[in-house]
Amino acid sequence: MPIDHTQPYDDSNIFARILRGELPNKTVLETEHSLAFHDINPLAPIHVLVIPKGAYVSWDDFSARASDAELADFSRAIGEVARQVGASAQGYRLLANAGKRAGQEVPHLHVHVFGGQPLGPMLAR
Ligand code: 5GP
């Protein structure tokens, strides 16, 4: 069920539970401020989620409230993941859904890293 990204952060969401160690994940990369793990329901041969460890709902929330250190760490973590999983060499796509109209289901900022196959048009019309 898509979420309303203008609501305050809800720390019962699934990614908050992963960050607290309450749920398992297949970790690709962990840094001081970010965690990357394989999506549970991959939509491409490479489908990794990168999340900040801080409590942010969306990109606009993160960019408004995160420290420079968190912003830099998250940005670098996404690039590092793309290189580590072999997406960078082949071409890849980054996607961050925000809010109901974009179909965001988990109310904790996450960037999808897709790769491993031709990715088709940017949006379905
Ligand atoms: P959204 O639609 O919010 O942009 O994407 C949420 C993503 O989280 C989906 O691709 C979904 O498969 C993934 N996801 C949901 N629950 C879990 C989980 O418990 N573990 C992992 N690794 N991925 C999850």
Side-chain angles (χ1 to χ4, degrees):
M1 186 71 162
I3 59 100
D4 179 353
H5 69 308
T6 62
Q7 292 300 303
Y9 186 83
D10 170 8
D11 70 4
S12 68
N13 78 75
I14 263 166
F15 294 167
R17 296 187 63 201
I18 285 176
L19 285 167
R20 289 197 295 268
E22 295 167 10
L23 294 173
N25 75 91
K26 291 187 180 166
T27 300
V28 173
L29 176 74
E30 180 165 12
T31 65
E32 185 180 0
H33 295 295
S34 309
L35 180 69
F37 49 91
H38 291 283
D39 196 288
I40 203 167
N41 181 26
L43 298 176
I46 295 171
H47 187 176
V48 177
L49 302 170
V50 191
I51 68 175
K53 290 183 177 174
Y56 304 105
V57 179
S58 63
W59 191 276
D60 46 285
D61 181 25
F62 180 61
S63 64
R65 297 195 296 111
S67 67
D68 288 354
E70 289 172 290
L71 285 158
D73 180 297
F74 190 56
S75 175
R76 291 208 168 93
I78 294 167
E80 178 63 27
V81 164
R83 287 188 292 273
Q84 262 195 36
V85 297
S88 168
Q90 304 169 336
Y92 62 97
R93 180 171 294 157
L94 305 179
L95 177 73
N97 293 315
K100 280 185 181 164
R101 291 183 97 177
Q104 182 180 5
E105 291 187 346
V106 181
H108 183 114
L109 171 61
H110 48 285
V111 170
H112 299 256
V113 181
F114 294 111
Q117 67 177 41
L119 293 166
M122 189 161 55
L123 283 179
R125 288 186 189 271

